[in-house]
Amino acid sequence: LVPGLLVAEVARLWTIRRKSKLWRVRLRQLLLERCLAGILLVFIFIQPLCAQDTRLSELPRPNFLWLTSEDNGPELGCYGDSYADTPNIDALAAKSLRYINCWSNAPVCAPARTTLITGMYPTSLGAQHMRSHVRLPPQAQLYPQLFHQLGYYCSNNSKEDYNVETPEGLWDESSNKAHWRKRRAGQPFFAVFNSTISHEGKLRTRPHNAIHDPAHVTIPPYHPDTPEVRQDWAQYYDRLTEMDREVGHILQQLQDDGLADNTIVFYYGDHGSGMPRGKRWLYQSGLRVPLIVHIPERFQSLLKEKVAAGSTSERLVSFVDFMPTLLSLAGVRPAPVLQGKAFLGKYAIDEPEYIHGFRDRMDERYDMSRATRDKKFLYIRNFYPQRPQGTYLSYMFQTPTTQVWKQLFDAGKLSAAQSFFWETKPAEELYDLQADPYQIKNLAAVSEHRATLERLRAATAQWMIGIKDLGLLPEGRMLELTGKDAPYTIGQDEERYPIAKIHPVADLATRPTQGDLSELAKHQVDANQTARYWVACGLLLRAQENQDREKAVQMAAGMTTDPSPYVRSMACETVARYGKPLDRKLALDALLSMCDPRATNTFVALAALNSLDWCEPTAAEIGAGLQGLPTKELALSKRYDSYIPRLVEHIESGAH
């Protein structure tokens, strides 16, 4: 206030300086008056803040230890799983606060870890696709940066796997040798230890030293009960036991160093089980994770309410809340750009009504779904209902459970609950989490739950529009619009990304009702190519469901020359799958022409290859169209380098 008034008064005097010889005298008087006023304001307003800071500095500054484990949900003894053997984590829970309703926001590692490191939804940052790599906006900071500013030593042992660019020196050390023991004497630390032993790839490693008897494992009702499935599930629990030993080892080191009473400990899994239909999907099996927070007695004063040993919380929390919570426990007010809510510490706020999840491109396969849950219900909005849940993913199909599950589906030997994963998914799913813990009874079409469906549908749309969800943009289009900016900036620009206009088009296109094709046609020549993209998706869906198929194919044919390659890919797929033979050939040729990233780019090629695969082309139809495509070394980035070869291999293996 004082500098502002001073500048204004000096400016006024400068304008009248020629009219009065006394203006220099007045200026000296003004400077003296304002300086005295400034000193008074400092004394009145700033002194109490300094006194408060002094009081805070007298409190012990906590260390923070994060113990994370990969690809595991709450299949632990302390969460009531009698088959699990996890004594170290159970002992930690017995003296800590255990959260019952924690979500990872994303059901796969890189987007989930991006949520943690940024405190923002990756869908808002354009970082939602698996193994993407985008710029952050200037206003976003990563939590190690903030803790460095507070004087903390920050170590990470050792996985990063973020979907955003990170600055040099983000961690004091990030390696499999990183440890709090390398800090300066007396320096507070923030240390992360990540156990990889429970990762999806470890569930199928053979030979394996068994700990749990496969005969006693509980098979979820969506999986078939076969020896392969039992072996994979039992081995998953074996890996959890091994992971528990690693957690116990780190906790013992903390105790041996005399730091247990000075350290706030978080233990959590990075997303659900690595078993198929867990990891990568928006069910409880993919999003629900264990979260245990231990706050030593001396730091209970940091909380609004004291936490009893062995207590539980049913508060809805998710990964986007972790960063604001860390800052709150450190006595720092979370910045407004953060999109989560602190659930502990000085700045903890009221529980949210909902938490949210997202699923976008998984490795080589494009998809898009959003999820919202409250204490009782889970709602899932599938924006690609033309694709089944179990779309072929090269990495996932290495798991024996996936292979035998698909074989039994193809043979017609599965129940309805077991078949659902392989069938075309509905646009909307609604589950009662209390009555249906495995989410196998979809209530979206049940009339008595209509009000709940509409409430959660509206909450999901409101969340997406509110955070400027960039997932409605085809990935390549998003990066085209971005240029040298961070994708986040696109969402804040209504001209480049009018999400309030695009979302209703996407919703109309992918949640079809009888007779709405004429409404969709109104957007077929929209000036916004993203709106046209969703029209093309809607035409494919209607042709697939045989809803006005002839008209849908005719409309799609008119979009096969659209300026956008993403629109053309969807339109060509519709024509190739459901059009006349001659039109099929022309559409397949158009798709093949877009499959070489050297002529287009990686994202156009991925979109075209995804569509081409669903057309099930014969070897004669492919011809030499896929020969000579880039190897891994020629791909856009090492984070994408295997995706095009995987798709080509799958297409060619199915061509006859």
Side-chain angles (χ1 to χ4, degrees), residues 441-452:
K441 186 177 180 180
N442 184 9
L443 303 174
V446 178
S447 58
E448 65 185 271
H449 293 288
R450 183 174 182 81
T452 299

Side-chain angles (χ1 to χ4, degrees), residues 18-80:
R18 294 179 180 176
K19 299 179 181 180
S20 173
K21 296 181 180 179
L22 298 177
W23 76 278
R24 289 187 178 86
V25 175
R26 174 59 186 138
L27 179 58
R28 285 194 294 269
Q29 293 174 341
L30 174 69
L31 289 172
L32 179 60
E33 291 171 2
R34 292 297 184 258
C35 287
L36 290 173
I39 292 170
L40 181 62
L41 286 171
V42 167
F43 180 79
I44 293 173
F45 294 108
I46 305 301
Q47 190 272 339
L49 293 178
C50 293
Q52 183 180 11
D53 288 343
T54 301
R55 291 194 299 271
L56 285 173
S57 67
E58 293 173 354
L59 295 173
R61 178 174 290 179
N63 303 312
F64 291 93
L65 173 61
W66 272 13
L67 301 171
T68 75
S69 50
E70 295 194 343
D71 298 16
N72 69 277
E75 288 83 22
L76 307 169
C78 58
Y79 278 85

Side-chain angles (χ1 to χ4, degrees), residues 259-523:
L259 296 168
D261 293 337
N262 299 326
T263 304
I264 294 175
V265 179
F266 280 51
Y267 163 74
Y268 60 91
D270 71 345
H271 51 72
S273 159
M275 292 290 286
R277 204 266 197 181
K279 179 178 181 178
R280 302 184 184 89
W281 282 275
L282 298 179
Y283 303 107
Q284 290 283 76
S285 53
L287 288 171
R288 186 178 175 227
V289 295
L291 171 61
I292 298 167
V293 181
H294 176 63
I295 301 179
E297 182 64 32
R298 69 185 309 182
F299 296 126
Q300 292 285 326
S301 60
L302 300 176
L303 307 178
K304 292 186 176 180
E305 294 182 6
K306 187 173 181 179
V307 174
S311 58
T312 60
S313 172
E314 294 188 357
R315 176 182 173 125
L316 296 172
V317 300
S318 61
F319 279 7
V320 75
D321 302 322
F322 279 31
M323 185 168 168
T325 300
L326 284 174
L327 294 171
S328 176
L329 287 169
V332 177
R333 185 185 299 276
V337 71
L338 299 180
Q339 295 170 328
K341 298 178 181 292
F343 53 85
L344 290 171
K346 178 181 178 180
Y347 297 104
I349 57 180
D350 293 341
E351 177 182 10
E353 184 176 3
Y354 306 109
I355 52 178
H356 306 281
F358 60 92
R359 164 187 162 87
D360 290 81
R361 177 174 54 74
M362 293 292 169
D363 294 335
E364 69 267 29
R365 294 294 184 179
Y366 278 109
D367 202 353
M368 180 185 173
S369 297
R370 299 292 180 262
T372 298
R373 69 154 292 187
D374 58 16
K375 288 289 183 65
K376 183 174 172 59
F377 290 98
L378 164 63
Y379 170 81
I380 300 174
R381 176 66 170 93
N382 296 308
F383 285 87
Y384 279 30
Q386 68 268 29
R387 309 294 191 221
Q389 305 278 19
T391 298
Y392 181 87
L393 275 169
S394 176
Y395 192 74
M396 182 186 72
F397 263 77
Q398 296 176 34
T399 302
T401 290
T402 311
Q403 297 170 16
V404 70
W405 191 9
K406 182 61 163 64
Q407 291 166 6
L408 291 173
F409 172 76
D410 291 340
K413 296 181 179 180
L414 297 178
S415 67
Q418 295 162 354
S419 297
F420 180 82
F421 184 74
W422 304 105
E423 298 169 340
T424 302
K425 57 182 176 282
E428 295 179 297
E429 300 174 62
L430 179 68
Y431 301 100
D432 184 331
L433 297 176
Q434 297 172 7
D436 182 16
Y438 290 106
Q439 297 90 65
I440 58 174
K441 186 177 180 180
N442 184 9
L443 303 174
V446 178
S447 58
E448 65 185 271
H449 293 288
R450 183 174 182 81
T452 299
L453 177 76
E454 292 177 348
R455 172 174 60 85
L456 291 170
R457 178 195 295 159
T460 303
Q462 182 179 13
W463 166 62
M464 292 179 65
I465 294 172
I467 67 165
K468 315 299 184 186
D469 190 326
L470 294 168
L472 292 172
L473 288 164
E475 185 178 14
R477 177 58 177 165
M478 179 191 74
L479 296 176
E480 290 171 9
L481 289 170
T482 297
K484 295 182 179 180
D485 292 336
Y488 176 83
T489 62
I490 300 172
Q492 313 309 306
D493 185 342
E494 291 187 2
E495 290 187 6
R496 286 194 290 176
Y497 186 48
I499 186 173
K501 170 188 173 182
I502 292 171
H503 183 276
V505 178
D507 184 59
L508 171 69
T510 59
R511 192 164 55 86
T513 56
Q514 193 66 37
D516 64 1
L517 202 54
S518 58
E519 287 296 313
L520 201 59
K522 296 177 182 178
H523 303 281

Side-chain angles (χ1 to χ4, degrees), residues 78-135:
C78 58
Y79 278 85
D81 194 320
S82 60
Y83 187 69
D85 181 15
T86 51
N88 293 293
I89 296 174
D90 297 348
L92 177 66
K95 61 179 183 180
S96 306
L97 175 60
R98 179 168 51 90
Y99 286 86
I100 306 299
N101 297 315
C102 181
W103 264 15
S104 59
N105 294 120
V108 71
C109 52
R113 291 171 182 274
T114 301
T115 312
L116 289 168
I117 198 76
T118 63
M120 300 175 70
Y121 291 106
T123 49
S124 185
L125 297 168
Q128 68 274 15
H129 298 289
M130 182 61 176
R131 298 274 154 71
S132 55
H133 197 60
V134 302
R135 294 184 183 92

